[in-house]
Amino acid sequence: SNFASLIDGRGAKYHEQTRQRGAELYGGARISYIFTEIFASSLLSVGPFDGLSDEEIRTTISNANGTRPSALFVPEVSFDILVKRQIARLEEPGSQCADLVFEELQRIASQAEPSELQRYPNLRDKIVTVVSAMLKRCVEPTQQTVSNLV
């Protein structure tokens, strides 16, 4: 199918259009770029200690120790609290990545339209509507999965 061809980088018709407009990633190459460059750089920009002060770390450890004197090792409870809060900051980049991939899939779907469909405008409109609705239905479960993983 045209859609699979564009994902796999075999969209000959689009190769011509891209060559005329200049260098531009599309299809599977664009999705790969979203993951390897955009998503990766947004993850790297999230510093492990951003938003954590030394005082906040000491307070969390003290609260986990309770009435016991401060031990040599950090209590597991305080570590879990601090780590979970920092990991939660990764949800936003994951959500943005899912949105970017969704937008690219919509673009691919619009470009994968066979030229024969031009003769049947009602069928074409219905197919575009169904494909768009199908992609939109997948966004919410994808966002939920990202949220659950984080």
Side-chain angles (χ1 to χ4, degrees), residues 2-54:
N2 289 346
F3 187 82
S5 295
L6 286 171
I7 293 286
D8 292 340
R10 292 179 276 128
K13 177 179 82 170
Y14 196 68
H15 280 295
E16 285 301 314
Q17 293 172 359
T18 302
R19 200 174 302 137
Q20 293 169 359
R21 289 191 306 223
E24 176 186 339
L25 294 175
Y26 69 93
R30 176 77 180 145
I31 292 172
S32 178
Y33 176 79
I34 290 169
F35 280 108
T36 60
E37 298 296 325
I38 298 172
F39 181 56
S41 67
S42 66
L43 286 180
L44 291 174
S45 71
V46 176
F49 296 108
D50 291 349
L52 279 180
S53 67
D54 290 344

Side-chain angles (χ1 to χ4, degrees), residues 2 5 29-30 52-54 62 70-71 77 87 90 92 96 98 105 108 118 120 126 129 134:
N2 289 346
S5 295
R30 176 77 180 145
L52 279 180
S53 67
D54 290 344
S62 295
S70 181
V77 174
I87 288 175
L90 300 176
E92 181 66 25
Q96 288 174 345
L105 288 173
I108 293 170
Q118 297 302 321
Y120 308 102
K126 186 64 174 173
T129 302
M134 182 191 72

Side-chain angles (χ1 to χ4, degrees), residues 14 30 44 48 55 73 79 87 103 112-114 120 123 127 139:
Y14 196 68
R30 176 77 180 145
L44 291 174
E55 182 62 32
F73 300 103
F79 178 78
I87 288 175
E103 290 169 9
E113 180 181 300
Y120 308 102
L123 176 62
I127 289 174
V139 171

Side-chain angles (χ1 to χ4, degrees), residues 71-132:
L72 179 60
F73 300 103
V74 176
E76 187 176 336
V77 174
S78 61
F79 178 78
D80 287 346
I81 290 169
L82 294 170
V83 168
K84 284 179 183 177
R85 195 172 84 202
Q86 293 305 96
I87 288 175
R89 296 175 54 234
L90 300 176
E91 185 173 351
E92 181 66 25
S95 182
Q96 288 174 345
C97 180
D99 288 339
L100 289 171
V101 170
F102 166 71
E103 290 169 9
E104 184 60 28
L105 288 173
Q106 282 188 312
R107 192 168 89 163
I108 293 170
S110 70
Q111 294 165 350
E113 180 181 300
S115 58
E116 294 85 16
L117 277 181
Q118 297 302 321
R119 296 187 316 191
Y120 308 102
N122 290 339
L123 176 62
R124 180 198 164 281
D125 291 344
K126 186 64 174 173
I127 289 174
V128 167
T129 302
V130 168
V131 169
S132 180

